[in-house]
Amino acid sequence: MSTAIKRALSNGSVLAFAILTIMYVVYVYSSIDVLTVNNATDLLNNVAPLVVAATGLTLVIISGGFDLSIGGVVVLSNVILVTQSDTTLQSGLLAVVIALAAGLAVGAINGVLVAYLRVQSIAATLGTFIMCSGIALVIMPSPGGSVPNFIAPGLNSALGGVLPVSLVVIGACLIGWLVIRRSRFGVYIYALGSDERSAVQSGIPVAGTKFKVYLGAGFLYALAGVMLTAQTASGDANASALFMVLVFAAVAIGGTRFGGGRGSAVGSIIGAGVLGVLQKMLFALGVSTFYTGIVQGAVLILAVILGHVSQFAAERLKEEETAQPSDESTSSEAKISSEGVLSDQD
Amino acid sequence: MGLALELTGLSKAYGPTKALQDVSFNVVEGQTHAIIGENGAGKSTLIRALAGLERPDRGSIRIQGRAYAPRNLKDSRRAGVSTAFQDLSLLPNLTVAENLFLPRLGRGLLVKRKDNEAAAREVLDKYRVGHISPNRTVDGLALADKQKLEIVRAISHQPKILLLDEPSAALPDVEWLYSLLADIRSSDLTILYISHRLAEIRDLCQTATVLRNGEVVDTVRVDEADDSRVFQMMGGATEGHGTEARQVRGVTGEPAIEVRNLSGQSIKDVNFTLQQGELLGVAALEGQGQGETFRILAGALKPAGGQVYVDDEAVTLNSTSAALRRGISFVAEERKTEGIFPGLSTLGNVTAGALRKVDRFGFLGGRREFASSVDVAREVDLNERYLRMDIDALSGGNQQKAVLARSLLQGSKYLLLYDPSRGVDVGTKGTIYGLMERFVNRGDHAVLWYSTDLAELSAVCDRILCFYRGSVVQELAGTDISVEALLAAITGHAGAEREAKA
């Protein structure tokens, strides 16, 4: 029982889920037609791009890196879709393939820079972010255009009228993450984010793992771009900044620690949900959209603080537990252990 | 019996620091071979080169006659070399089972948690650590268990050559290690054993290579070398600093810093008095509470209980600036992370703690900053020309001098020096001794000095506190001080006759 409580307290996803539930309940009570298929689909459509991008960013952050290229890849994907397709299905599919390939390419560049050339991840991805934004502007200097029907409204609709495409995408992110979590690669990224030197000394292929992380993240950002384009149904090379900020917010609300080694994409997906529901809830409550940003920021900070508090509580519980059963050796060893933390760095 | 390991002319330099110089020795198959040396003698670099984590600049290694040049840890494992690292390479956020089986983590595409945990259970039971649960994360383990796990992990790879870097440093008793090594000993397994503790080396090893400043002093049979000869080989440079140099200085007897019943996370009931004019030594193995004691006095950690008196006044040192106001200055062991500001000039580093004394209307860079620094630089024997250079470009010894110069400029009366002579060359060591002596000879000043080098402590200090498992277990003074006595005290044999076993 107490283990379950500890797990829950130290798990950021649980906290984010609690916040999401509360908001959703408020939302349901504040408006009359929330629980309709249309409304639910609309909500899913809104959060799908965030969910996909946040899943990618979570991989990078757990591995101890940082990725600012999101914004660049998303707009690149967006302008490719708009400019490289006409109204036909074939051209649309081809454009999607090109967009995803572009995402992989940017991810590969990030990966080479960070993993093999050892450029700091913030610097490397800031560089690729700016470059991608520049390329997007070259491809599409002024906003506008349109996309084929299968993207918009196609990706916003429900398959067979019952299963929203967005839900499929979100589900795929979730399942993909759970598979990665159980794979060797998944263990490696947590190891890497926790202590790179120890990871090397444990025989983990550090550079290769990092490369794959950025590659996968680049792909997911491009996919997020596709889902976002389904929402906007047009192209805009300058529309990335707010989206990128929200992706980082989703990851933070989900309890993933910036700095690496801890967190989960499940949390980030729920975090994206929190941001989406928040927007709907405020609208339903009649709050002007001008205030949305203020509340989003406040929720982010609140979630992180609550995360710290519950983490602290979990550690206190753990300490109490280890303090209780003290047979001959444990107590003295535990004492030395805290000293060891100091001298470990020698 | 063939040779398991042949090292020929191994050299490795980091910038101006020569970590290994022309290191050559052989180890016969099936033997346990000790590597002995002070901190900074090159032991860790040697281990890292054998493990594939550092590539030597020159020289070659052969394993059972075959050339061996690993480029990473995987290469070394493939060649049958397995390492238990001193700094422990366990990942705190992974489970015991995951740590044990990295990087393979079993067969198949996905990691099978239950299978791994069952396999880990077997390994843990087999190697006498059955009390560790395979499904908990490593960050919850006591340090001793982490150390055991690191060793078990290395052994579980079934190596031909096992490298153990200070395997007993965090173990409360060595019985476990002795039984384990007895279990696995075979004619195919060669062990390189690195330890500070001579008694262990006598119990476990047949041969030993002594390193000093990156060079091989000698390779000897353990049963043919007595302790004093080994210490002489290890210490070397401190020989001239013999007993005749020791004389009771003009200690005024006024208490400078007094510690009463101090307790904390790793210490309990620590009592001692540092007198004005005194250079008080602290001897201990790594992690016996001396680090926490120093940091409490420096205001960087809060004690759980007890009282600190400075100049006969009860004080609460709840920040480093509070300690500085009391005249206490702390020089940490990790210059790179705690002591210096990389990227700043040496001048900037010297004046960083005392900007109010050197600025001009709040701005720096004037002649006043330079002039005030020149004086202290001269005092610590730091060449003036270094002041204009980036601190990163300086050798470890000169960086240390710069850090000391800063403490002087801050006007501190009491210096807490945490292993200042680690990894610096012999000449700089001499300068540091001279500096400390000049400092305490100013009368009301005092120094508390922790060193991992017992020979230098015993040569320089009049009184030495020995820490063991969180307490001061013995205080040695005057003619009672010897390396052997210190060694006995800090390994928990205070007062007992150690000679019987050795």
Side-chain angles (χ1 to χ4, degrees):
Chain A
M1 179 57 199
S2 74
T3 4
I5 294 174
K6 258 184 304 173
R7 282 257 168 92
L9 280 174
S10 60
N11 189 337
S13 322
V14 174
L15 186 71
F17 191 73
I19 296 176
L20 179 64
T21 310
I22 292 168
M23 282 184 176
Y24 200 72
V25 169
V26 173
Y27 174 42
V28 166
Y29 277 96
S30 62
S31 184
I32 42 167
D33 57 351
V34 173
L35 296 170
T36 63
V37 174
N38 263 347
N39 241 322
T41 309
D42 192 39
L43 178 62
L44 291 171
N45 287 339
N46 277 339
V47 298
L50 264 185
V51 164
V52 178
T55 304
L57 182 63
T58 308
L59 289 176
V60 175
I61 287 184
I62 290 176
S63 79
F66 214 73
D67 198 341
L68 294 171
S69 71
I70 304 167
V73 177
V74 166
V75 290
L76 193 58
S77 166
N78 171 254
V79 299
I80 287 174
L81 290 180
V82 173
T83 56
Q84 304 303 307
S85 64
D86 46 44
T87 53
T88 62
L89 178 65
Q90 293 92 325
S91 72
L93 284 175
L94 183 65
V96 169
V97 171
I98 298 173
L100 295 180
L104 280 173
V106 176
I109 295 170
N110 287 336
V112 168
L113 288 172
V114 175
Y116 297 103
L117 302 179
R118 297 178 191 222
V119 180
Q120 284 178 4
S121 58
I122 293 184
T125 57
L126 180 62
T128 50
F129 164 51
I130 297 171
M131 279 174 66
C132 289
S133 304
I135 295 170
L137 264 179
V138 170
I139 296 177
M140 195 174 173
S142 57
S146 63
V147 288
N149 284 339
F150 97 91
I151 294 180
L155 296 176
N156 291 328
S157 58
L159 294 173
V162 282
L163 185 62
V165 177
S166 300
L167 187 61
V168 174
V169 171
I170 293 171
C173 284
L174 196 62
I175 292 168
W177 164 255
L178 292 176
V179 171
I180 286 179
R181 182 72 185 87
R182 295 202 50 197
S183 72
R184 205 162 283 132
F185 175 68
V187 178
Y188 289 177
I189 60 173
Y190 278 91
L192 200 58
S194 147
D195 185 345
E196 193 171 327
R197 184 183 162 99
S198 289
V200 171
Q201 293 186 352
S202 299
I204 291 171
V206 166
T209 304
K210 273 191 191 170
F211 179 80
K212 284 182 206 158
V213 163
Y214 285 93
L215 191 69
F219 176 81
L220 287 170
Y221 304 152
L223 183 61
V226 174
M227 297 307 289
L228 196 64
T229 307
Q231 292 280 295
T232 61
S234 67
D236 184 353
N238 287 315
S240 66
L242 182 64
F243 179 74
M244 178 153 76
V245 170
L246 290 179
V247 175
F248 276 93
V251 172
I253 292 172
T256 294
R257 190 181 68 168
F258 293 114
R262 200 183 290 166
S264 142
V266 176
S268 305
I269 291 169
I270 298 170
V274 168
L275 291 170
V277 172
L278 181 68
Q279 214 162 10
K280 292 271 180 196
M281 182 190 82
L282 291 176
F283 187 74
L285 290 172
V287 178
S288 159
T289 46
F290 293 115
Y291 294 95
T292 310
I294 300 175
V295 181
Q296 281 174 331
V299 167
L300 163 65
I301 293 170
L302 188 72
V304 173
I305 290 174
L306 282 177
H308 278 300
V309 171
S310 69
Q311 184 77 37
F312 181 73
E315 269 159 28
R316 282 297 289 271
L317 277 177
K318 220 184 252 178
E319 269 172 32
E320 274 168 32
E321 194 177 76
T322 40
Q324 276 164 9
S326 64
D327 46 17
E328 352 78 74
S329 61
T330 42
S331 60
S332 61
E333 281 174 16
K335 265 185 218 140
I336 296 181
S337 109
S338 46
E339 165 80 12
V341 175
L342 289 174
S343 52
D344 266 355
Q345 294 132 12
D346 288 6
Chain B
M1 279 295 164
L3 289 178
L5 196 59
E6 296 164 73
L7 276 68
T8 319
L10 224 54
S11 298
K12 174 83 192 175
Y14 303 100
T17 318
K18 287 177 178 145
L20 293 176
Q21 288 186 69
D22 202 16
V23 168
S24 305
F25 64 88
N26 300 332
V27 183
V28 175
E29 205 168 1
Q31 284 201 323
T32 302
H33 183 92
I35 307 285
I36 313 176
E38 296 178 334
N39 286 302
K43 295 170 299 183
S44 289
T45 309
L46 181 63
I47 289 292
R48 292 180 68 78
L50 285 167
L53 299 174
E54 296 280 358
R55 271 196 256 180
D57 302 331
R58 267 176 290 113
S60 66
I61 310 171
R62 299 179 90 76
I63 289 181
Q64 291 171 333
R66 231 170 305 153
Y68 170 69
R71 282 167 302 136
N72 52 42
L73 194 86
K74 230 165 137 189
D75 285 354
S76 74
R77 288 232 177 112
R78 210 174 293 130
V81 177
S82 188
T83 314
F85 291 96
Q86 178 189 14
D87 53 354
L88 305 189
S89 51
L90 303 172
L91 291 150
N93 58 346
L94 302 187
T95 65
V96 169
E98 284 169 336
N99 267 290
L100 213 44
F101 297 128
L102 276 175
R104 281 290 307 143
L105 297 164
R107 290 170 194 287
L109 211 60
L110 291 184
V111 177
K112 296 186 191 67
R113 209 184 159 102
K114 290 278 166 249
D115 290 1
N116 273 344
E117 281 170 9
R121 175 85 276 151
E122 260 175 55
V123 170
L124 294 171
D125 284 339
K126 182 176 172 194
Y127 296 118
R128 301 165 182 263
V129 280
H131 64 283
I132 299 178
S133 151
N135 59 3
R136 53 184 305 191
T137 53
V138 162
D139 54 9
L141 296 182
L143 183 64
D145 282 340
K146 288 183 194 169
Q147 174 97 64
K148 287 178 181 175
L149 191 59
E150 176 86 17
I151 297 167
V152 166
R153 171 160 87 165
I155 291 173
S156 70
H157 291 291
Q158 315 276 342
K160 286 188 291 187
I161 295 178
L162 178 64
L163 312 177
L164 298 175
D165 193 355
E166 298 281 2
S168 59
L171 296 181
D173 65 88
V174 289
E175 289 314 313
W176 172 83
L177 186 61
Y178 280 21
S179 342
L180 183 68
L181 292 180
D183 284 353
I184 61 164
R185 186 160 294 158
S186 81
S187 56
D188 311 324
L189 176 67
T190 309
I191 301 175
L192 274 196
Y193 192 92
I194 294 186
S195 178
H196 278 107
R197 305 181 186 181
L198 268 187
E200 272 170 35
I201 288 170
R202 291 198 182 284
D203 290 340
L204 295 169
C205 306
Q206 293 85 52
T207 48
T209 293
V210 182
L211 290 178
R212 189 171 71 219
N213 298 328
E215 289 177 274
V216 172
V217 180
D218 202 359
T219 296
V220 296
R221 285 181 55 96
V222 171
D223 50 15
E224 285 171 1
D226 59 17
D227 285 5
S228 60
R229 168 136 183 258
V230 174
F231 286 127
Q232 202 182 6
M233 288 193 291
M234 283 168 64
T238 39
E239 270 175 290
H241 233 288
T243 40
E244 81 285 355
R246 187 189 306 135
Q247 42 182 303
V248 179
R249 282 184 213 85
V251 176
T252 63
E254 294 288 321
I257 299 178
E258 203 176 338
V259 171
R260 286 290 156 255
N261 302 320
L262 200 65
S263 63
Q265 288 184 309
S266 64
I267 58 174
K268 63 168 191 287
D269 274 340
V270 169
N271 287 293
F272 64 86
T273 306
L274 170 67
Q275 293 166 350
Q276 291 187 342
E278 186 177 33
L279 170 52
L280 180 59
V282 172
L285 295 169
E286 221 119 284
Q288 304 297 325
Q290 72 276 27
E292 192 181 357
T293 306
F294 271 67
R295 280 176 172 76
I296 287 172
L297 294 178
L301 284 178
K302 285 199 186 91
Q307 184 61 54
V308 176
Y309 301 86
V310 177
D311 298 328
D312 268 338
E313 213 178 301
V315 293
T316 312
L317 304 168
N318 45 21
S319 70
T320 43
S321 50
L324 276 174
R325 274 196 300 277
R326 285 282 165 185
I328 300 173
S329 209
F330 173 55
V331 180
E333 72 276 33
E334 280 285 308
R335 287 189 303 278
K336 279 270 185 311
T337 52
E338 287 191 57
I340 68 165
F341 303 103
L344 285 187
S345 68
T346 307
L347 181 66
N349 269 280
V350 170
T351 56
L355 295 182
R356 232 165 302 154
K357 291 184 185 161
V358 298
D359 67 350
R360 205 174 190 94
F361 314 120
F363 293 97
L364 294 170
R367 256 169 301 151
R368 195 171 156 212
E369 186 187 7
F370 194 74
S372 51
S373 310
V374 168
D375 293 340
V376 287
R378 205 166 288 149
E379 196 153 341
V380 297
D381 201 20
L382 178 68
N383 196 315
E384 242 174 73
R385 71 192 167 91
Y386 289 130
L387 288 175
R388 292 292 187 201
M389 290 167 64
D390 265 8
I391 193 139
D392 312 65
L394 269 55
S395 69
N398 280 323
Q399 286 181 359
Q400 192 64 267
K401 289 180 190 171
V403 173
L404 288 171
R406 181 197 307 160
S407 303
L408 288 183
L409 194 62
Q410 283 166 340
S412 302
K413 279 163 68 184
Y414 309 132
L415 276 183
L416 311 174
L417 301 179
Y418 199 90
D419 215 3
S421 51
R422 167 180 285 200
V424 304
D425 58 66
V426 175
T428 307
K429 281 188 183 188
T431 311
I432 292 173
Y433 306 150
L435 170 74
M436 288 190 297
E437 296 197 10
R438 274 206 303 282
F439 189 81
V440 298
N441 283 338
R442 291 174 168 197
D444 60 348
H445 289 38
V447 172
L448 186 65
W449 173 38
Y450 166 64
S451 171
T452 42
D453 181 346
L454 299 178
E456 70 176 18
L457 274 180
S458 69
V460 177
C461 296
D462 298 322
R463 195 158 69 94
I464 299 174
L465 308 170
C466 300
F467 275 73
Y468 180 68
R469 297 180 70 170
S471 305
V472 177
V473 288
Q474 197 170 20
E475 192 182 306
L476 292 166
T479 49
D480 290 342
I481 296 176
S482 69
V483 170
E484 289 78 5
L486 287 173
L487 206 53
I490 66 172
T491 50
H493 301 90
E497 282 303 313
R498 185 85 191 126
E499 281 70 27
K501 201 175 179 196

